[in-house]
């Protein structure tokens, strides 16, 4: 019985030491991964948080595949057409992450996530002198001024629908234009408020799925396969 107790105590101690070592390895790996992802995505002023799920971690590393990894980035730069657009926050859940090239590259078999763009940054990405805000009920409100013969400068606000086209393009279209009975007004307003912007600079393999206007900004749902997150 004494020998059995010693064996059990030794097993518990070794198990505890293994668990501690495993957690220390996870913490180190999360920090290293955050640095590499931040460098790849170009977020010098933002933050990157990586959370590696599953236990034990060390056996996953030995198999060079992680079950699930959560990533949150703030303040990264993407592109909207020929303009830069700031992504306030991007979160992604990565599944079956393959570690390659001596652990310098990480590719997720599948991924889901969201990207949030502030309305101020969306207005900048439009390339027009307009103000963009939340219009309520899933719409964005776009306000701009135009010059109309006889009437001079007039300002119009429109409620617009935001949609995703071809998995990479953000489309903003006014539902209706107030004052369209004035000749030429609707065309001029739409030239200012309607726009398409192809979004680039996100992790390779991620595609835009849908867009939703919320009080906190425009939230874009992302999905992807073979998503390269590092390397």
């Amino acid at each position: 019985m004494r020998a059995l107790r010693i064996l059990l105590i030794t097993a518990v101690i070794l198990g505890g030491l293994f668990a501690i070592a495993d957690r220390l390895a996870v913490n180190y790996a999360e920090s290293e991964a955050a640095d590499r992802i931040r460098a790849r995505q170009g977020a010098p002023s933002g933050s990157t948080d990586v959370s590696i799920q599953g236990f034990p971690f060390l056996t996953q590393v030995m198999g060079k595949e992680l079950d699930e990894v959560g990533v949150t980035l703030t303040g990264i730069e993407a592109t909207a057409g020929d303009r830069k657009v700031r992504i306030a926050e991007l979160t992604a859940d990565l599944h079956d992450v393959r570690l390659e090239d001596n652990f310098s590259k990480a590719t997720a078999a599948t991924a889901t996530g969201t990207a949030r763009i502030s309305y101020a940054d969306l207005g900048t990405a439009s390339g027009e002198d307009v103000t963009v805000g939340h219009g309520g009920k899933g719409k964005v409100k776009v306000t701009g001024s135009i010059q109309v013969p006889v009437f001079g400068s007039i300002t119009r606000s429109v409620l617009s629908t935001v949609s995703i086209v071809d998995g990479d393009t953000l489309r903003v279209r006014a539902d209706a234009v107030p004052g369209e009975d004035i000749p030429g007004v609707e065309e001029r307003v739409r030239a200012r408020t309607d726009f398409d912007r192809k979004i680039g600079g996100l992790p390779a393999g991620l595609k835009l799925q849908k867009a939703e206007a919320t009080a906190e900004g425009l939230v874009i749902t992302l999905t992807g396969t073979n998503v390269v997150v590092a390397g």
Side-chain angles (χ1 to χ4, degrees), residues 138-192:
K139 305 290 184 179
V140 297
K141 183 179 180 181
V142 185
T143 303
S145 297
I146 59 171
Q147 292 290 331
V148 180
V150 179
F151 293 91
S153 177
I154 63 173
T155 299
R156 287 290 185 269
S157 292
V158 297
L159 291 179
S160 300
T161 297
V162 185
S163 59
I164 300 300
V165 180
D166 297 331
D168 62 3
T169 300
L170 191 64
R171 172 169 290 175
V172 178
R173 289 289 185 273
D175 295 345
V177 177
E180 61 269 12
D181 52 325
I182 303 173
V185 165
E186 180 167 5
E187 291 79 4
R188 285 181 170 86
V189 170
R190 287 191 177 279
R192 182 62 59 88

Side-chain angles (χ1 to χ4, degrees), residues 163-170 198-199 202 205-210 220-223:
S163 59
I164 300 300
V165 180
D166 297 331
D168 62 3
T169 300
L170 191 64
K198 187 173 182 178
I199 304 298
L202 299 176
L206 278 181
K207 291 185 178 296
L208 314 185
Q209 192 73 21
K210 68 175 183 178
I220 302 172
T221 300
L222 309 169
T223 61

Side-chain angles (χ1 to χ4, degrees), residues 4-201:
L4 180 59
R5 285 199 300 270
I6 293 173
L7 181 61
L8 290 174
I9 291 171
T10 301
V12 169
I13 292 173
L14 291 176
L17 291 174
F18 176 78
I20 292 172
D22 194 77
R23 292 303 92 188
L24 289 174
V26 166
N27 292 338
Y28 176 78
E30 289 174 343
S31 177
E32 286 292 307
D35 289 343
R36 293 186 182 185
I37 293 172
R38 182 165 51 248
R40 179 181 178 85
Q41 293 305 131
S45 61
S47 63
T48 304
D49 181 71
V50 175
S51 176
I52 300 174
Q53 308 298 318
F55 180 84
F57 165 71
L58 291 173
T59 58
Q60 294 183 67
V61 171
M62 291 175 63
K64 294 186 177 181
E65 185 169 307
L66 306 179
D67 296 337
E68 183 178 353
V69 179
V71 178
T72 301
L73 301 98
T74 63
I76 67 172
E77 280 190 347
T79 58
D82 59 354
R83 292 176 170 270
K84 290 186 176 181
V85 59
R86 180 178 179 273
I87 306 294
E89 183 179 74
L90 186 151
T91 63
D93 291 321
L94 314 172
H95 297 275
D96 300 325
V97 180
R98 301 186 303 275
L99 305 175
E100 304 168 298
D101 298 340
N102 198 26
F103 301 101
S104 64
K105 182 179 179 180
T107 304
T110 61
T112 58
T114 60
R116 179 169 56 84
I117 304 174
S118 74
Y119 291 119
D121 288 320
L122 182 61
T124 300
S126 75
E128 299 289 345
D129 184 18
V130 296
T131 301
V132 180
H134 185 220
K137 297 183 179 180
K139 305 290 184 179
V140 297
K141 183 179 180 181
V142 185
T143 303
S145 297
I146 59 171
Q147 292 290 331
V148 180
V150 179
F151 293 91
S153 177
I154 63 173
T155 299
R156 287 290 185 269
S157 292
V158 297
L159 291 179
S160 300
T161 297
V162 185
S163 59
I164 300 300
V165 180
D166 297 331
D168 62 3
T169 300
L170 191 64
R171 172 169 290 175
V172 178
R173 289 289 185 273
D175 295 345
V177 177
E180 61 269 12
D181 52 325
I182 303 173
V185 165
E186 180 167 5
E187 291 79 4
R188 285 181 170 86
V189 170
R190 287 191 177 279
R192 182 62 59 88
T193 61
D194 292 0
F195 58 91
D196 287 2
R197 291 294 179 270
K198 187 173 182 178
I199 304 298

